[in-house]
């Protein structure tokens, strides 16, 4: 059944969804990796496609920027469209000194400054984490491809332009990188009893003043896309 944000029918979406933030990256993945891809959503320009990858039916859809946008789309996929697993394929800014431009980060957990968890009325601070089944398979595939990678904690920030200049403080806690969506995705997956993982490519190093181009962020970073797709086909 369609929602205000997605005009797909229930059977239009596969049990595994690859979810980049940028809807144009979703379009790129569908056009370059999926066979017989069919577009099931264009509402608000948030493209969603279903096709096959190495013989397995799989979907790819954009999430938009920030925890509020990610949380709307992932909540609907988990709870209305009965999606079993979402694998986010996004970009991050490196925080740790040993994480470099274009490196792969597999997010084991996601610290955040978001108040998203307040809705659950928990008597403490929730720690959003990835699903082990998906994380371990992604690590196995990454190692089989001899792609350098990092696994650890990331920071999901509600602010892109941060007036408090806090990244160096997060660096002291061993945080690998900063992005804006994963904590919300991991909380939605936990609450729904479903699976989630975030695989990131480092698109910039804010503490070193290094960056990639917009074109590379949209259609480059193929290692991340292929790790996510192959992980999804093996679940």
């Amino acid at each position: 059944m369609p929602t205000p944000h997605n005009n797909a029918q229930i059977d239009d979406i596969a049990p595994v969804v690859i979810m980049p933030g940028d809807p144009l990256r979703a379009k790129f993945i569908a056009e370059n990796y999926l066979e017989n891809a069919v577009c099931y959503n264009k509402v608000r320009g948030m493209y969603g496609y279903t096709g096959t990858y190495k013989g397995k039916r799989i979907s790819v859809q954009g999430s938009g920027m920030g925890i509020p946008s990610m949380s709307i789309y992932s909540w609907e996929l988990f709870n209305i469209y009965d999606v079993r697993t979402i694998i986010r394929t996004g970009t991050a800014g490196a925080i740790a000194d040993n994480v470099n431009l274009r490196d792969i980060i597999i997010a084991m957990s996601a610290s955040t400054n978001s108040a998203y968890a307040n809705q659950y009325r928990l008597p403490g601070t929730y720690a959003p984490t990835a699903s082990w089944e998906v994380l371990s398979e992604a690590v196995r595939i990454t190692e089989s491809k001899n792609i350098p990678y990092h696994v650890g904690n990331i920071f999901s920030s509600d602010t892109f332009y941060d007036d408090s200049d806090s990244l160096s403080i997060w660096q002291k806690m061993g945080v690998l990188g900063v992005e804006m969506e994963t904590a919300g995705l991991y909380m939605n997956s936990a609450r729904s009893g479903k699976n989630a993982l975030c695989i990131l490519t480092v698109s910039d190093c804010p503490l070193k003043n290094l960056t990639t181009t917009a074109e590379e962020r949209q259609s480059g970073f193929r290692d991340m896309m292929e790790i996510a797709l192959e992980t999804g086909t093996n679940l």
Side-chain angles (χ1 to χ4, degrees):
M1 56 179 278
T3 74
H5 318 97
N6 195 328
N7 56 14
Q9 299 297 322
I10 296 295
D11 294 335
D12 290 344
I13 303 177
V16 175
V17 176
I18 309 302
M19 201 163 206
D22 186 349
L24 293 179
R25 191 182 305 134
K27 187 173 186 287
F28 178 88
I29 294 171
E31 292 176 346
N32 288 274
Y33 288 101
L34 299 187
E35 294 183 1
N36 303 313
V38 174
C39 182
Y40 63 74
N41 186 59
K42 293 182 180 179
V43 176
R44 297 174 178 260
M46 201 59 67
Y47 296 115
Y49 301 84
T50 297
T52 58
Y53 180 76
K54 295 186 175 180
K56 179 163 181 176
R57 189 167 178 262
I58 202 162
S59 296
V60 56
Q61 179 176 325
S63 72
M65 291 189 290
I67 286 175
S69 185
M70 163 59 82
S71 298
I72 288 171
Y73 288 104
S74 62
W75 192 97
E76 291 182 351
L77 290 174
F78 283 138
N79 295 286
I80 295 176
Y81 292 98
D82 201 26
V83 167
R84 184 177 69 245
T85 302
I86 294 176
I87 303 174
R88 166 165 155 69
T89 51
T91 56
I95 295 178
D97 281 336
N98 65 325
V99 179
N100 301 305
L101 215 59
R102 301 179 185 85
D103 280 1
I104 296 291
I105 296 175
I106 301 174
M108 180 167 59
S109 55
S111 300
T112 187
N113 57 8
S114 170
Y116 190 74
N118 289 355
Q119 65 181 301
Y120 305 122
R121 301 182 297 279
L122 297 165
T125 302
Y126 184 75
T129 55
S131 303
W132 170 250
E133 174 190 1
V134 191
L135 187 150
S136 59
E137 182 62 17
V139 168
R140 186 191 68 79
I141 289 169
T142 305
E143 289 183 343
S144 73
K145 292 177 174 291
N146 294 314
I147 297 170
Y149 70 98
H150 311 265
V151 177
N153 191 15
I154 63 168
F155 173 49
S156 295
S157 179
D158 269 353
T159 55
F160 186 89
Y161 301 104
D162 180 13
D163 207 42
S164 65
D165 194 24
S166 65
L167 295 186
S168 60
I169 301 173
W170 286 104
Q171 183 188 60
K172 295 177 183 178
M173 296 302 293
V175 172
L176 298 176
V178 57
E179 50 84 82
M180 303 185 73
E181 291 81 29
T182 301
L185 171 62
Y186 285 3
M187 283 187 248
N188 275 356
S189 69
R191 181 66 181 87
S192 304
K194 303 295 182 67
N195 299 313
L197 179 67
C198 174
I199 304 171
L200 300 165
T201 301
V202 174
S203 60
D204 62 288
C205 300
L207 298 177
K208 301 175 185 177
N209 198 29
L210 300 172
T211 189
T212 56
T213 66
E215 182 180 358
E216 188 174 5
R217 291 191 293 273
Q218 177 183 311
S219 57
F221 304 157
R222 289 194 174 216
D223 284 347
M224 168 181 67
M225 299 175 192
E226 292 168 10
I227 293 167
L229 286 164
E230 294 190 27
T231 299
T233 62
N234 291 337
L235 298 176

